[in-house]
Amino acid sequence: VPVLSVCALSKRWLAPGWRLGWITVHDTDGILSSAGVPDTLLKLCQVSLGPSAPLQAALPEILRSTPAEWYQGVLKALKASAGCCVERLRAIPGLAVESEPQGSMYCMVRLLPNALAGIGDDDVAFAGQLLQEESIAVLPGQCFNAPGFFRVVFAAPPEVLNEAFDRMEAFCRRHAEKKVGA
């Protein structure tokens, strides 16, 4: 059975933006090779932005010297941050968390139609106005072919997330109030 195993420092070591990862291929019967998978992977690696040379040089030491208990601490921290994220988002008017994160550092949040004045379910308008008014950056769902949603990353600790969610909640309440009072 052919197997592709993918790993990246950006996720496992909580270093978004590092763009340093690898793919391990097990293909003893040549099934993936005959389908052109290795050539496609090579082309993909040549067109995407590559990691910096210092990161590449540091990778062996990072892998060698990271203690096993560190991973458990990361998982515990991510679980706490994910719980904070879901709890806070579900309490904000105009937003809905359709499914809880499972194995990621982000969740997709739905904009309830017509809940926020001047925004509706326009994820690009929401992201732009949230950034302009509250200095909170989220990615519009259209980046992921999911219009009407936006992506929140919860790699930060709960105390940092809570400050961001306080500001996001204030933003949503202001825009909900404009609609009610209009």
Side-chain angles (χ1 to χ4, degrees):
V1 174
V3 176
L4 290 174
S5 176
V6 181
C7 191
L9 250 58
S10 60
K11 302 292 188 270
R12 194 167 187 161
W13 277 266
L14 300 180
W18 278 19
R19 305 286 184 247
L20 182 60
W22 56 92
I23 299 174
T24 305
V25 180
H26 175 78
D27 186 27
T28 56
D29 296 328
I31 295 169
L32 296 175
S33 278
S34 64
V37 172
D39 292 335
T40 303
L41 290 172
L42 179 60
K43 288 176 187 172
L44 180 63
C45 291
Q46 292 170 338
V47 295
S48 65
L49 297 174
S52 69
L55 285 177
Q56 291 179 50
L59 180 61
E61 185 58 31
I62 290 170
L63 294 174
R64 250 191 317 271
S65 64
T66 302
E69 58 272 4
W70 185 84
Y71 298 105
Q72 293 305 315
V74 167
L75 291 175
K76 184 178 177 183
L78 281 175
K79 186 174 182 176
S81 292
C84 171
C85 182
V86 169
E87 180 182 330
R88 290 299 306 270
L89 287 166
R90 285 191 171 146
I92 297 175
L95 307 182
V97 177
E98 303 294 337
S99 65
E100 295 188 15
Q102 298 178 14
S104 66
M105 295 189 305
Y106 61 87
C107 71
M108 297 299 288
V109 183
R110 185 165 65 94
L111 292 166
L112 299 177
N114 303 316
L116 304 174
I119 295 173
D121 62 353
D122 184 341
D123 51 298
V124 174
F126 177 85
Q129 288 182 36
L130 181 64
L131 181 61
Q132 183 177 17
E133 293 179 31
E134 295 291 342
S135 299
I136 300 294
V138 297
L139 282 175
Q142 290 184 40
C143 295
F144 310 98
N145 200 27
F149 286 78
F150 64 92
R151 188 175 90 163
V152 173
V153 176
F154 55 82
E159 53 274 9
V160 174
L161 292 173
N162 277 318
E163 179 183 337
F165 289 128
D166 287 345
R167 290 160 51 192
M168 186 182 293
E169 183 172 3
F171 171 87
C172 289
R173 289 194 185 282
R174 274 195 318 274
H175 285 273
E177 288 170 11
K178 284 181 185 176
K179 184 175 192 279
V180 173

